[in-house]
Amino acid sequence: MDIVTAQEMYERDQAAAEAGLAGTMLMENAGRAAAYDLVKHIQKSDRIIVWIGAGSNGGDGFVIARTLLNLGYTAEAVQVVPDEKIKGDAAVHKQIFQASGHTVKKWTDVEDAEGYLLRADVSIDAMLGIGVQGDLREPYKQIVQHCNEASLLRLAVDLPTGVPADEGVEEFTAYKADYTSVIEAPKLSAFLQHTQPWYGQWSVVEIGIPSQVSPAVRRSMWTVEDVKRTLPSRDDHSHKGSHGKGLVIGGSLLMPGSAAMTSRAALRSGAGLIAIATEEGAVPSISPYVQEATFVERETMELSAYDGVAAGMGIGRGADARALVHHVVTHTKGPLLIDADGLYVLKDFLGKLEKREEPTILTPHPGEFAHLTGRSIKDVLLSPFSLAEAFARRYGVYLVLKGPSTIITAPDGEQRVDVTGNSGLAKGGSGDALAGILLTMLMQSESMLDGLSSGCVLHGHTADRVVQQGRSKVDLLATDVIEGLPGTFRTLSSSIT
Ligand SMILES: NC(=O)C1=CN([C@@H]2O[C@H](COP(=O)(O)OP(=O)(O)OC[C@H]3O[C@@H](n4cnc5c(N)ncnc54)[C@H](OP(=O)(O)O)[C@@H]3O)[C@@H](O)[C@H]2O)[C@@H](O)CC1
Ligand SMILES: Nc1ncnc2c1ncn2[C@@H]1O[C@H](COP(=O)(O)OP(=O)(O)O)[C@@H](O)[C@H]1O
Ligand SMILES: [K+]
């Protein structure tokens, strides 16, 4: 499913119009689809207010109110702006609403705003959508504040009023939705840390725009269904060499667990062979947790003898770690993933990445990405899509920017978003497990972007399954996720089990 900016959404509407789907048709489709989606959250006995704004989002509101009334719900359409502001497609649907025998109420006629809201059980916000610019003006601001304070169910259409569709906007006032019915395609703000909470839960309704006429967008969600579709199958005649021989360069005396978890996660994801290059003294602490792995010395490791290398977890941030990562970056010929401490020391010679011919994969969390880019964490969280794209293009790398919504970017700027996982993963070790899964995926996948995206979903989806099946978000450990992988593979593909 594509993820769009406001501009890309307007281009899609325009393309639909050129294909003969008039704006009023799309509005009818959007309003009806949203109404049928929203009623899943509404009881027949509920009293509903549909707030209608000046643009096409308000037009959707007239269709929604008419559909709800047709279905026998108790709904009032409240227009929050003067009549002359209702124009174009929205005016057509206002007329149909009135011709159906319904009355449009005006917010200006309401004397007792609080009492008015007290009488409602459900509020549907069809005031503003992707057309919002700057901070909310009156009367929107006042209505939004009243709604946010009232104890009722807050539903929204496309976007909660006031939430910007795109990234980069820090300050705004907005309607705090419990649930949002998103029209046609999710907008960037549905994935950003500072805007996503305003949506509440959300899902997307389809409004009849043929995908053949939609302009291509190089940004999409990657889900469990995509993993099922693309997961490499395991050939009956395969041998261990067929599934990837990987090297994990990680761990140290004080941080042995990281290398153990990355290696174990790689093996549990199906790698054929895993070798570990760690500090000599750390071997006894690591080996009991990954008996299947072999160990190689860092001084003599043959970096080009592997199908994939993952480096950096638990190596520390001192001069030795820096020299190690420099050596790895300049001598590894195959695909190379760098994580954690490896990213920290990489900053000094980022330019070396441009010279690599085989894929480089960097897996920072926002703090590590801020360090790599010299930006603040706040900036990274405000504009992760554009910053990730610029970085991936500049250095020619695959960038896995981790978080509740993980953004995976290819060197050519194509982006995928993985929304699986839960706050149980916000714990040391989760990143190490992910790096191991990604190491295997990068060795086995025909498409690097598909493989990395699937690796992120395998990690998050497994965390979700393990929590559903008995662990809680409080006690979930990275090792639980690793040991949950077999259950995930079992549900994903019959050819694997
Ligand atoms: N064919 C289509 O396009 C389809 C579109 N669809 C739907 O349309 C929505 C997009 O419609 P849209 O472009 O009319 O924008 P929308 O969000 O309704 O707002 C525009 C109004 O907002 C006002 N305004 C702006 N900022 C403001 C502020 N800070 N404070 C106060 N007011 C502010 C602005 O006023 P102005 O600045 O012009 O005075 C203008 O009047 C989209 O989200 C989806 O729901 C679906 O029906 C499918 C087909
Ligand atoms: N609240 C959350 N919801 C979903 N996934 C999360 C959440 N917090 C963290 N994660 C995931 O957990 C992993 C954490 O990685 P990282 O921050 O590198 O952990 P660490 O270095 O502590 O092991 C990433 O895959 C990230 O996407
Ligand atoms: K809205």
Side-chain angles (χ1 to χ4, degrees), residues 209-390:
I209 303 179
S211 55
Q212 290 82 347
V213 311
S214 296
V217 172
R218 304 189 74 237
R219 200 185 306 103
S220 59
M221 285 181 74
W222 197 256
T223 65
V224 172
E225 291 310 310
D226 296 305
V227 179
K228 277 188 193 163
R229 197 169 45 76
T230 56
L231 203 62
S233 58
R234 226 162 160 92
D235 186 342
D236 286 343
H237 300 281
S238 62
H239 57 91
K240 58 183 183 274
S242 325
H243 305 301
K245 186 176 165 193
L247 175 66
V248 173
I249 305 171
S252 53
L253 271 177
L254 295 180
M255 290 179 278
S258 52
M261 285 188 280
T262 300
S263 307
R264 195 165 174 83
L267 287 161
R268 277 277 185 239
S269 308
L273 282 168
I274 290 292
I276 304 173
T278 190
E279 264 181 32
E280 208 181 317
V283 174
S285 319
I286 298 173
S287 58
Y289 297 98
V290 261
Q291 289 149 296
E292 297 82 357
T294 55
F295 289 84
V296 295
E297 286 174 353
R298 280 186 182 163
E299 293 68 31
T300 56
M301 62 189 171
E302 277 188 61
L303 288 165
S304 296
Y306 299 92
D307 301 310
V309 174
M313 52 295 295
I315 60 170
R317 296 176 175 187
D320 288 355
R322 187 181 178 284
L324 174 65
V325 174
H326 188 272
H327 175 73
V328 170
V329 166
T330 45
H331 289 83
T332 304
K333 294 283 176 275
L336 169 64
L337 179 150
I338 304 175
D339 185 35
D341 291 340
L343 295 170
Y344 188 85
V345 296
L346 175 68
K347 165 122 199 225
D348 300 341
F349 44 91
L350 265 175
K352 295 261 181 234
L353 298 179
E354 292 167 46
K355 301 196 177 63
R356 295 199 74 247
E357 284 176 10
E358 289 289 317
T360 309
I361 301 98
L362 307 187
T363 55
H365 56 57
E368 288 160 346
F369 191 51
H371 170 71
L372 283 173
T373 53
R375 302 239 176 192
S376 65
I377 295 178
K378 191 169 133 191
D379 281 354
V380 167
L381 294 174
L382 265 181
S383 306
F385 286 96
S386 53
L387 290 176
E389 182 183 343

Side-chain angles (χ1 to χ4, degrees), residues 9-10 13 23 26-27 30-31 54-60 85 89 127-138 140 157-159 183 187 207:
M9 189 62 219
Y10 285 126
D13 289 336
L26 278 187
M27 197 170 272
S56 293
N57 196 255
D60 294 347
K85 285 270 186 185
D89 299 337
M127 288 182 278
L128 302 177
I130 58 174
V132 71
Q133 299 286 335
D135 202 20
L136 283 185
R137 301 190 296 268
E138 296 298 357
Y140 296 96
V157 181
D158 202 15
L159 291 135
I183 308 286
K187 323 301 180 281
I207 65 166

Side-chain angles (χ1 to χ4, degrees), residues 63 69 83 100 116 125 133-134 206 243 260 264 288 294 314 344 370 373 419 426 481:
V63 180
L69 288 162
D83 286 333
S100 310
Y116 190 67
D125 157 28
Q133 299 286 335
E206 188 269 337
H243 305 301
R264 195 165 174 83
T294 55
Y344 188 85
T373 53
V419 295
V481 176

Side-chain angles (χ1 to χ4, degrees), residues 365 402-404 406 420-423 425-432 434 459:
H365 56 57
K402 297 181 289 194
T406 293
T420 63
N422 57 70
S423 57
L425 286 173
K427 215 170 264 167
S430 297
D432 302 325
L434 176 70
H459 180 248

Side-chain angles (χ1 to χ4, degrees), residues 2-125:
D2 288 347
I3 298 167
V4 296
T5 60
Q7 176 63 27
E8 287 162 349
M9 189 62 219
Y10 285 126
E11 286 166 9
R12 186 171 288 213
D13 289 336
Q14 183 60 32
E18 283 160 17
L21 273 161
T24 48
M25 268 191 224
L26 278 187
M27 197 170 272
E28 178 72 12
N29 289 356
R32 288 183 68 78
Y36 277 93
D37 186 40
L38 294 173
V39 292
K40 294 176 196 154
H41 303 265
I42 304 175
Q43 309 293 321
K44 248 322 172 358
S45 56
D46 286 341
R47 287 156 303 178
I48 307 162
I49 302 179
V50 184
W51 302 106
I52 294 178
S56 293
N57 196 255
D60 294 347
F62 284 117
V63 180
I64 290 168
R66 171 162 52 84
T67 307
L68 292 176
L69 288 162
N70 277 351
L71 292 172
Y73 287 86
T74 309
E76 280 183 298
V78 181
Q79 182 183 310
V80 308
V81 289
D83 286 333
E84 61 273 18
K85 285 270 186 185
I86 307 287
K87 296 183 222 144
D89 299 337
V92 172
H93 281 289
K94 178 177 175 182
Q95 208 172 12
I96 299 173
F97 182 80
Q98 289 170 317
S100 310
H102 309 308
T103 310
V104 177
K105 283 208 158 184
K106 305 272 171 56
W107 173 246
T108 41
D109 299 340
V110 177
E111 282 173 16
D112 169 18
E114 280 168 42
Y116 190 67
L117 281 164
L118 274 178
R119 291 192 293 277
D121 303 299
V122 179
S123 144
I124 297 179
D125 157 28

